[in-house]
Amino acid sequence: MERSVVVAALPDPLRSALDEELGKYPQTRLTQSVERLSSRYRENNPATAPILSSEVDIAAYAGYRMPATYAAVHAVLAEAALRAPEFAPRTQIDVGGGTGAAIWAAADVWPSLEKSTVVEQVAGAIALGRRLAEHAGGPAVRGSTWQRGLIDPAAPAPDADLVTLSYVLGELPEARRTDVVRWLSAKAGMLVLIEPGTPAGYERIVQARDELVELGLSLVAPCPHEGACPIPRGKDWCHFSARLPRTGLHRQLKAGTLGFEDEKFSYVVASRTAPERADGRILRHPLKRKGMVSLTLCAEAGLTETIVTKRHGQAYRAARDAEWGDAWPAQSTVD
Ligand SMILES: C[S@@+](CC[C@H](N)C(=O)[O-])C[C@H]1O[C@@H](n2cnc3c(N)ncnc32)[C@H](O)[C@@H]1O
């Protein structure tokens, strides 16, 4: 049987706390904010002033983007946990954390987390993030620390087992990004960078990836090697997808009818300790036909098309189960 696509839903306490927050505003105000924010984020230009500038904007951001960024961060961290099974972080710093999607996702993936800190420039996002966090079941999110501050490579580097930066690089001026990546990686046990799954988001990720390799960190995911990225620049981009359910309110906000949506993201995870890297990474939806599966893989040798047929027995069964974004060979075929 084929594995069904994993759906990463917000934890129940977060979803209901968010619904309550959104209920404070008229629907029309939220919709206006969503429209304004969506077109601003689509512009894909660095921000010269905070994009989240009013309480209703912040609530709208949390309502329409937090479920999606949560799903993307969750998918990335779950993959990192698979590749680094010994990693049991106790501390996390989420930089540019907005309303805190990444601390909720990390706490779900690693119950070992005891202390989560969010650094964010917008006071209103901190206030909302803190109110939401009070509803968390686990101690790391419920007792999280929220610091108002700017990303500043001249300040002491974030010092935590896990440092996350999700959907922020693109808001920073291009000339500062390398310094920010160096700063983020200076003391992090594991560093996670996530961007929208667009050509521009991938470009920022691949530049950060090359910088992290240069700095001597080990790549945990998605890259199965530390050689040059084989994706033909300008023609394709490495990205993945996370499925999330749409709540009723989310559906209204996004004026859609589907019960789910797919959030596309690009990412890189790097660590001070060597991970258990698979030989390859599946870069597209596997093509599943009767008796055969075709996989587009990134591997040390470059990009390959691998055909797995019934003759391959266990590998074939694993390929039937495989999804875009998974490592290959699957763990079940190498144990
Ligand atoms: C698109 S939101 C992402 C929020 C959150 N990380 C997530 O994944 O949902 C970008 C966040 O980065 C924050 N940010 C952007 N530039 C920043 C800076 N220079 N210093 C601190 N925070 C910054 C913004 O205020 C905003 O909350």
Side-chain angles (χ1 to χ4, degrees):
M1 209 175 77
E2 280 183 29
R3 197 184 78 190
S4 55
V5 175
V6 178
V7 178
L10 293 182
D12 286 342
L14 174 55
R15 193 174 37 79
S16 51
L18 196 48
D19 283 349
E20 201 176 302
E21 289 290 340
L22 292 168
K24 295 177 182 170
Y25 301 94
Q27 185 67 47
T28 45
R29 290 292 311 283
L30 290 168
T31 311
Q32 280 163 5
S33 284
V34 166
E35 280 162 5
R36 198 184 69 74
L37 290 171
S38 302
S39 68
R40 174 61 188 86
Y41 285 124
R42 267 198 303 274
E43 277 172 25
N44 200 33
N45 291 327
T48 47
I51 296 173
L52 299 175
S53 56
S54 68
E55 287 212 348
V56 64
D57 274 4
I58 293 162
Y61 176 84
Y64 102 105
R65 285 301 295 156
M66 204 179 171
T69 60
Y70 175 90
V73 179
H74 197 281
V76 168
L77 300 186
E79 183 58 28
L82 277 180
R83 306 271 59 93
E86 308 291 306
F87 182 63
R90 291 176 47 242
T91 55
Q92 176 187 8
I93 300 182
D94 183 35
V95 179
T99 47
I103 62 167
W104 285 84
D108 193 63
V109 172
W110 286 296
S112 58
L113 277 165
E114 293 166 6
K115 184 170 168 36
S116 306
T117 303
V118 177
V119 180
E120 166 57 49
Q121 65 179 346
V122 174
I126 292 179
L128 175 55
R130 215 184 238 144
R131 287 201 298 279
L132 296 172
E134 281 166 8
H135 295 261
V141 176
R142 203 175 50 245
S144 49
T145 302
W146 293 73
Q147 289 175 2
R148 185 157 185 211
L150 283 171
I151 294 167
D152 177 9
D159 189 352
D161 299 333
L162 174 67
V163 174
T164 45
L165 184 87
S166 84
Y167 293 85
V168 180
L169 267 183
E171 290 191 18
L172 305 177
E174 193 174 347
R176 289 189 60 215
R177 287 181 199 144
T178 305
D179 283 349
V180 170
V181 169
R182 277 200 209 117
W183 174 72
L184 291 169
S185 69
K187 293 189 179 154
M190 180 181 277
L191 173 63
V192 176
L193 306 174
I194 306 176
E195 282 289 282
T198 57
Y202 161 69
E203 194 55 44
R204 294 189 284 272
I205 289 293
V206 83
Q207 281 179 16
R209 169 206 190 268
D210 291 348
E211 183 61 31
L212 293 168
V213 171
E214 185 91 352
L215 290 166
L217 276 80
S218 298
L219 298 181
V220 176
C223 315
H225 59 87
E226 276 148 16
C229 176
I231 305 268
R233 305 276 263 277
K235 294 197 179 134
D236 201 355
W237 67 103
C238 180
H239 66 291
F240 303 94
S241 182
R243 180 155 293 183
L244 57 133
R246 281 181 168 172
T247 61
L249 186 57
H250 196 211
R251 256 201 299 265
Q252 286 164 13
L253 281 174
K254 299 202 79 174
T257 52
L258 288 174
F260 65 86
E261 65 177 54
D262 290 324
E263 171 68 11
K264 305 285 172 26
F265 57 93
S266 294
Y267 76 101
V268 64
V269 180
S271 153
R272 306 215 163 269
T273 44
E276 294 180 11
R277 261 198 314 247
D279 296 344
R281 175 74 55 192
I282 302 173
L283 293 188
R284 304 253 179 288
H285 282 302
L287 201 65
K288 297 175 183 175
R289 298 256 185 273
K290 201 164 186 302
M292 62 85 82
V293 179
S294 172
L295 301 173
T296 305
L297 295 177
C298 177
E300 185 121 47
L303 300 179
T304 62
E305 290 295 326
T306 296
I307 307 283
V308 189
T309 67
K310 260 192 168 151
R311 278 192 306 109
H312 295 99
Q314 199 186 350
Y316 172 69
R317 286 189 293 280
R320 298 287 319 172
D321 262 359
E323 296 290 348
W324 174 18
D326 287 352
W328 185 263
Q331 202 58 34
S332 58
T333 64
V334 288
D335 282 342

